[in-house]
Amino acid sequence: MLADKFSHIYIEENALSYPLAQKALYRFKNAVKVEIGHYKDVFCRPNQDFQLQKRAQNLILAVKKDNFIYKGPELCQNFGNPNFYYTSSLLNCVYNCDYCYLQGMYPSANLVAFVNIEDFFAAVLKQLNSQPLYLAVSYDTDLLAFENVIPFTAMWIEFAAGNPDLLIEIRTKSAGYSSIAGMSSVSNVILAWTLSPDVIVEKYEKQTPALSSRLSSIKQAIADGWKVRLCFDPVIKAEGWKKIYEELVDEVFLSLPPDKIYDVGIGPFRMSADYLKRIRKSRYDSDLIYYPFECRNGIAGYAEEAEKELVTHVYSCVNKYINRERIYL
């Protein structure tokens, strides 16, 4: 899929000397290279069309100067970890899910890869001096889907292997486990897969692999000894949703050994109301975006009772296979 992307690569002048930048440039030797002063000169230009850019996504190589890690937002699950942080070595995603908040968060659909990964590591080490850390490295993107361009996933795994007080989660919808299959499993790394019914994948998770492909990757990761997290998130209130999520959960645990699953997360659709308002101004092709969500404390989502019903039903399906101590809502 990535072979059709990145006809143009924009490179900050001070990024050129970094090995990761050179790796990406070599990967796309035929791309038009454009030197720029700062990534925001391209990424934050006014009047960009997010969906139009998604059809011909380009790559920006940059050096991040500060704010390498952020406190985890309350909107996101911390899976029982109090010192929850996240980081973004890659801005945006190669996929284009209808429910993705990034289309309301960023002015551009182009990808920004920060090539000074060592500075991210240094910031994490500084934080580790005062306390252990739970770090989500792939919340605002899909690092594993980007691995054949820049091996961020492998680099974070290698970094975690040398820092036992760090627990990292790498979340993905990809079927690209083969890109890291040669690595030994690391006890303080969780590989987390987002799983949806095929009808949801086909309608709302554009360009992502089918459920069966994701399950094949998960099965291999489990066999190789990795801690694997399953994420039924977001649960979408589609027509016949009870049956399609029952069938999803049964299919997942007929394919995967429940006792080998580290834990499970379940969550309903939710998004910043401001992001949703911005998305609605720029796209008209998704019924999901125009569902009459309610706004509570600045967050758009299903009505409280409907949301409770969604989560409770999927929880009861999962609980047939996984004990409740390993299920997070």
Side-chain angles (χ1 to χ4, degrees):
M1 184 184 72
L2 292 181
D4 298 327
K5 292 181 179 285
F6 313 144
S7 65
H8 289 68
I9 298 182
Y10 299 89
I11 320 131
E12 286 185 351
E13 294 168 11
N14 60 347
L16 277 167
S17 61
Y18 285 83
L20 290 183
Q22 291 302 315
K23 184 178 184 67
L25 291 174
Y26 182 78
R27 171 72 174 77
F28 295 95
K29 289 182 285 190
N30 296 325
V32 176
K33 283 81 173 178
V34 182
E35 287 191 28
I36 57 175
H38 195 280
Y39 80 90
K40 289 184 178 180
D41 297 340
V42 175
F43 192 68
C44 296
R45 285 178 296 133
N47 303 318
Q48 298 184 82
D49 187 320
F50 195 97
Q51 290 304 317
L52 188 61
Q53 287 182 338
K54 272 290 184 183
R55 298 177 202 167
Q57 205 169 24
N58 287 314
L59 177 62
I60 304 169
L61 303 174
V63 176
K64 192 167 177 61
K65 302 295 186 185
D66 50 23
N67 299 322
F68 295 98
I69 61 173
Y70 304 88
K71 188 71 177 171
E74 291 184 9
L75 193 60
C76 299
Q77 293 172 328
N78 65 9
F79 292 89
N81 297 281
N83 300 318
F84 167 37
Y85 286 77
Y86 75 98
T87 187
S88 300
S89 47
L90 183 68
L91 304 184
N92 264 326
C93 182
V94 298
Y95 299 135
N96 190 24
C97 300
D98 285 22
Y99 54 73
C100 183
Y101 61 88
L102 297 179
Q103 58 191 320
M105 179 177 175
Y106 294 137
S108 171
N110 292 324
L111 284 156
V112 179
F114 294 113
V115 295
N116 55 323
I117 191 69
E118 292 79 9
D119 293 328
F120 286 80
F121 296 158
V124 173
L125 288 173
K126 185 177 180 181
Q127 193 71 27
L128 285 172
N129 285 333
S130 58
Q131 59 186 359
L133 198 63
Y134 170 63
L135 185 68
V137 302
S138 192
Y139 258 176
D140 286 344
T141 188
D142 195 317
L143 289 186
L144 194 58
F146 192 72
E147 194 71 1
N148 67 347
V149 180
I150 295 178
F152 283 132
T153 304
M155 297 179 82
W156 277 112
I157 290 170
E158 289 170 357
F159 176 70
N163 293 280
D165 286 339
L166 172 66
L167 175 64
I168 71 169
E169 184 213 64
I170 303 168
R171 193 171 296 202
T172 187
K173 289 186 177 80
S174 83
Y177 172 73
S178 59
S179 62
I180 59 166
M183 304 184 75
S184 298
S185 60
V186 176
S187 62
N188 55 324
V189 172
I190 300 168
L191 301 181
W193 268 271
T194 297
L195 301 177
S196 298
D198 272 326
V199 65
I200 298 296
V201 173
E202 291 164 8
K203 190 171 184 181
Y204 299 126
E205 296 183 1
K206 296 177 179 64
Q207 303 169 12
T208 65
L211 173 64
S212 59
S213 298
R214 299 183 208 182
L215 292 177
S216 294
S217 270
I218 296 169
K219 195 179 298 186
Q220 188 180 354
I222 290 172
D224 289 344
W226 291 93
K227 289 179 177 173
V228 167
R229 169 175 292 154
L230 305 181
C231 302
F232 299 98
D233 185 0
V235 179
I236 302 296
K237 192 179 180 182
E239 184 177 351
W241 69 269
K242 284 189 176 182
K243 183 179 180 183
I244 65 173
Y245 278 98
E246 288 168 9
E247 291 174 348
L248 167 68
V249 173
D250 287 342
E251 181 178 354
V252 167
F253 290 108
L254 282 172
S255 177
L256 306 176
D259 61 316
K260 298 294 185 181
I261 301 302
Y262 183 67
D263 59 19
V264 175
I266 302 170
F269 171 91
R270 68 272 190 205
M271 183 189 293
S272 159
D274 288 339
Y275 292 168
L276 181 60
K277 185 178 179 180
R278 211 170 294 158
I279 295 166
R280 284 175 170 173
K281 286 180 178 179
S282 62
R283 76 177 294 186
Y284 310 97
D285 61 336
S286 174
D287 62 329
L288 177 60
I289 292 301
Y290 287 90
Y291 185 89
F293 296 110
E294 286 190 2
C295 181
R296 299 191 299 276
N297 300 317
I299 303 301
Y302 296 111
E304 205 162 350
E305 282 303 310
E307 185 175 284
K308 184 178 179 182
E309 184 184 19
L310 284 163
V311 171
T312 300
H313 183 68
V314 177
Y315 170 85
S316 67
C317 295
V318 173
N319 192 215
K320 290 191 298 183
Y321 301 95
I322 302 288
N323 61 50
R324 65 181 186 178
E325 290 77 16
R326 289 190 288 144
I327 305 175
Y328 292 86
L329 307 178

